[in-house]
Amino acid sequence: MSQTILIVEDEKLIIVSTQMVLEAAGFRVESATNGEEGIRKARELSPDLVLLDIMMPGIDGWETLTRLKRDNETAKIPVIIFTAREHSRGHQKSEEMGAADYFRKPFEPDELIELVEKHVGQGV
Amino acid sequence: MTIGDIMDGVVFVDREGLIAVINPVAEDLLDVRGLLAVGKTPGQVAADDQRELAKALVVEIEAASVAGTAHRTVEIHHGERDLHYVDLRVSTVRDAEDRPAGKLVVLRDVTKEFKADQLRNQYLSIVAHELRTPLTGIKTYSTMLAKRSLGELQPNQATAIESIREQCIRLEHQIDKLVNLGHIDSSNYARDLDEIDVIAVLRGAVEPFRGVAADAGVKLELEEPTDGCKVRADRVDLGRALKAIIENAIKFTPEGGRVAVSAEVADGWVTFVVSDSGIGIDPRYQRRIFEKFFQVEDPLTRYHGGAGLGLFVAQAALQAHGSRIEVVSGLGTGARFRFSLPLFEEEVTEAPRPSRSAAGAIVSVTGDTR
């Protein structure tokens, strides 16, 4: 069975285009358009990896990450932070908060696949 | 005009380390009005915990004793009121026999400028986010199409889509430059250090300029180093610096010329080189090309376009990595830009990862200007 990636991202365009890249590489893709929905879907679906945007309405990516890592059911799912804005010490901050990696948009599709393959299933 | 009329705070500390002169602006900024600071050391003045600026002054005077000068922007809390930012500059004054005679300290309240800067950076960062979001979609789709992941293409369709992808990467590079305009502070670079494959970063930097070079009739060549060599750097910074240098080289190389990009590995260093057969740089301007907005030509008559930011941003980014771009050029003889980074070698045993400050301490290769 193919592995499932959950994209948590408020921009429909990014969800659809990223989904196309991941599906072409053989992953199954689910999506959520805000942090709360992302947390709910992470619990329901137990995805093999979460791609998480930072700037979202409602709870932002950092808060979503904190909640995912605090919850025993989702704590072990690897999370890749996925952002279009510069964050001071973004890489270090995401590592300290328990994210598996940090990735900037726009991205090279090949690099995304490489990164997802590196971390997928690593948490379990 | 007397020292009392100067708008900046001025303090003179004599060779015994005692405050010899202090003007009213400095008394206010240091919060020592009426304290009779003259004849005391800055350390005695700083004794009260509330005097953040005086404490910083002690540290910077110490630093200036070693380096000759020191400069720092200090954040101070004015009681319960809001934050203030004070620019603190210390320079060593020498007497007629060239012996240190004391330290001259200039203090300037830069709170207004600092806050305006912060606002501008915040604004630029939001603008960049807004521009990158649609760009992410364009880049992803055009890459998928170019790679035939969505089916076969007619040759003219392939050419069109390759060009869309290339222009997209160029646009991304322009946005990066714009955002980094605000980041004159080097602490904004070298933030996400990672082990980076040299070949991949070179390919990524050359690719977006293939079409531009072809249109300009310039041959763009990439000489790849041996497989698997890596450097520890911020991926975005390194790619941005290389792109800026390549973009610049193509811009100043006339039709029929050549731009060569390479990386040489020797003695634990990777030296990135971009050389061109272009118009060259007048030796008078070789230092100045790294200044913000600097253009060799008169902006009203200029022909080459651009805002004069690329090399400035590239140099700032590399300096934060402990490196520096050097240029060797003469009028009419092309130019050769290069910079070095330490070769990253995988540790055999489990060792702690080098920290941000360890990377910042990397010694730069100094000016060999042949």
Side-chain angles (χ1 to χ4, degrees):
Chain A
M1 204 189 84
S2 59
Q3 289 164 306
T4 303
I5 313 295
L6 173 63
I7 305 173
V8 185
E9 161 75 63
D10 60 324
E11 285 285 345
K12 202 81 185 157
L13 169 72
I14 310 251
I15 294 181
V16 176
S17 57
T18 308
Q19 178 166 8
M20 191 181 277
V21 171
L22 291 169
E23 284 178 350
F27 294 102
R28 213 164 70 81
V29 176
E30 294 284 344
S31 63
T33 54
N34 62 60
E36 308 265 7
E37 188 191 353
I39 293 165
R40 203 177 62 242
K41 286 204 167 165
R43 295 179 60 122
E44 274 168 30
L45 305 164
S46 295
D48 299 281
L49 187 136
V50 174
L51 270 182
L52 178 61
D53 183 29
I54 297 288
M55 289 246 293
M56 288 185 292
I59 63 167
D60 70 1
W62 298 122
E63 178 59 25
T64 307
L65 176 62
T66 307
R67 294 197 199 171
L68 284 172
K69 290 296 158 188
R70 210 193 289 143
D71 185 338
N72 281 336
E73 279 188 57
T74 54
K76 287 191 171 153
I77 304 169
V79 177
I80 297 177
I81 296 288
F82 190 53
T83 178
R85 201 171 161 183
E86 15 282 308
H87 299 278
S88 158
R89 295 178 59 254
H91 210 281
Q92 286 92 328
K93 183 174 175 186
S94 54
E95 249 175 49
E96 283 160 18
M97 293 178 68
D101 229 311
Y102 178 84
F103 200 54
R104 289 188 255 207
K105 292 181 274 198
F107 57 88
E108 284 294 337
D110 284 349
E111 286 178 14
L112 176 69
I113 298 297
E114 206 178 294
L115 202 66
V116 166
E117 281 174 350
K118 179 176 159 194
H119 294 293
V120 79
Q122 291 290 308
V124 214
Chain B
M1 187 165 99
T2 69
I3 192 167
D5 302 326
I6 300 175
M7 297 296 287
D8 291 338
V10 177
V11 182
F12 183 70
V13 179
D14 66 18
R15 63 161 67 85
E16 269 74 52
L18 303 174
I19 295 172
V21 177
I22 183 164
N23 74 345
V25 180
E27 284 182 329
D28 280 347
L29 286 171
L30 287 162
D31 191 21
V32 296
R33 180 151 272 201
L35 253 185
L36 300 172
V38 172
K40 294 195 174 109
T41 65
Q44 286 166 332
V45 168
D48 181 348
D49 276 0
Q50 295 304 311
R51 298 213 173 84
E52 295 155 282
L53 186 59
K55 275 201 250 171
L57 182 61
V58 175
V59 174
E60 295 309 310
I61 286 179
E62 192 67 36
S65 302
V66 182
T69 59
H71 172 221
R72 168 147 75 114
T73 304
V74 187
E75 206 179 278
I76 53 172
H77 302 81
H78 265 301
E80 289 300 300
R81 282 180 295 140
D82 55 354
L83 275 177
H84 274 249
Y85 297 90
V86 177
D87 206 43
L88 193 165
R89 285 172 193 274
V90 186
S91 46
T92 302
V93 179
R94 294 182 174 274
D95 63 16
E97 274 86 52
D98 203 32
R99 290 171 311 199
K103 303 277 187 300
L104 182 66
V105 181
V106 178
L107 303 165
R108 175 175 294 176
D109 190 329
V110 291
T111 309
K112 252 192 214 153
E113 292 89 331
F114 200 87
K115 288 192 171 156
D117 247 27
Q118 270 184 330
L119 263 179
R120 186 191 58 187
N121 290 353
Q122 230 168 20
Y123 175 72
L124 281 175
S125 176
I126 292 167
V127 169
H129 177 265
E130 296 305 312
L131 292 173
R132 281 177 185 141
T133 300
L135 210 53
T136 303
I138 303 173
K139 188 174 175 184
T140 308
Y141 286 134
S142 58
T143 306
M144 297 284 285
L145 282 164
K147 287 179 61 191
R148 316 292 196 272
S149 303
L150 309 176
E152 273 314 309
L153 300 173
Q154 305 284 342
N156 56 350
Q157 290 174 330
T159 309
I161 211 71
E162 299 281 1
S163 178
I164 293 174
R165 185 181 138 75
E166 239 179 53
Q167 303 316 316
C168 183
I169 297 173
R170 276 181 75 197
L171 209 50
E172 192 184 333
H173 177 53
Q174 302 301 336
I175 297 169
D176 275 349
K177 282 200 292 193
L178 184 76
V179 176
N180 281 275
L181 171 59
H183 294 171
I184 4 173
D185 177 0
S186 65
S187 67
N188 286 298
Y189 296 106
R191 288 186 301 197
D192 296 333
L193 297 181
D194 218 339
E195 288 92 57
I196 296 174
D197 184 69
V198 172
I199 293 181
V201 79
L202 285 173
R203 285 183 188 157
V206 168
E207 193 198 336
F209 298 105
R210 294 253 179 237
V212 184
D215 289 349
V218 173
K219 211 166 152 192
L220 178 59
E221 291 166 357
L222 170 61
E223 295 157 34
E224 294 183 357
T226 42
D227 239 3
C229 73
K230 288 181 176 174
V231 288
R232 190 166 167 79
D234 182 299
R235 189 182 302 277
V236 173
D237 285 351
L238 183 54
R240 174 189 295 140
L242 277 166
K243 282 179 205 160
I245 301 171
I246 295 167
E247 186 180 37
N248 186 71
I250 296 170
K251 206 190 279 180
F252 293 102
T253 300
E255 199 172 343
R258 168 179 177 270
V259 171
V261 182
S262 65
E264 294 151 13
V265 184
D267 305 324
W269 291 85
V270 179
T271 303
F272 294 84
V273 183
V274 177
S275 56
D276 65 65
S277 63
I279 60 173
I281 307 153
D282 189 324
R284 280 185 297 167
Y285 298 131
Q286 284 180 15
R287 274 182 181 281
R288 300 202 57 206
I289 54 171
F290 298 106
E291 290 172 15
K292 197 185 212 172
F293 302 123
F294 182 75
Q295 304 263 15
V296 171
E297 300 161 328
D298 178 343
L300 294 175
T301 56
R302 75 204 169 88
Y303 161 72
H304 289 104
L309 285 172
L311 292 178
F312 163 75
V313 167
Q315 186 70 299
L318 285 165
Q319 278 173 345
H321 287 77
S323 184
R324 193 159 68 84
I325 305 169
E326 289 156 22
V327 58
V328 185
S329 176
L331 266 182
T333 61
R336 185 179 156 91
F337 286 81
R338 59 173 208 177
F339 63 88
S340 302
L341 289 170
L343 180 66
F344 176 79
E345 283 163 293
E346 311 269 352
E347 283 124 307
V348 188
T349 51
E350 194 68 26
R353 284 172 60 174
S355 67
R356 163 86 176 73
S357 58
I362 291 162
V363 191
S364 78
V365 185
T366 47
D368 149 32
T369 39
R370 278 168 298 170

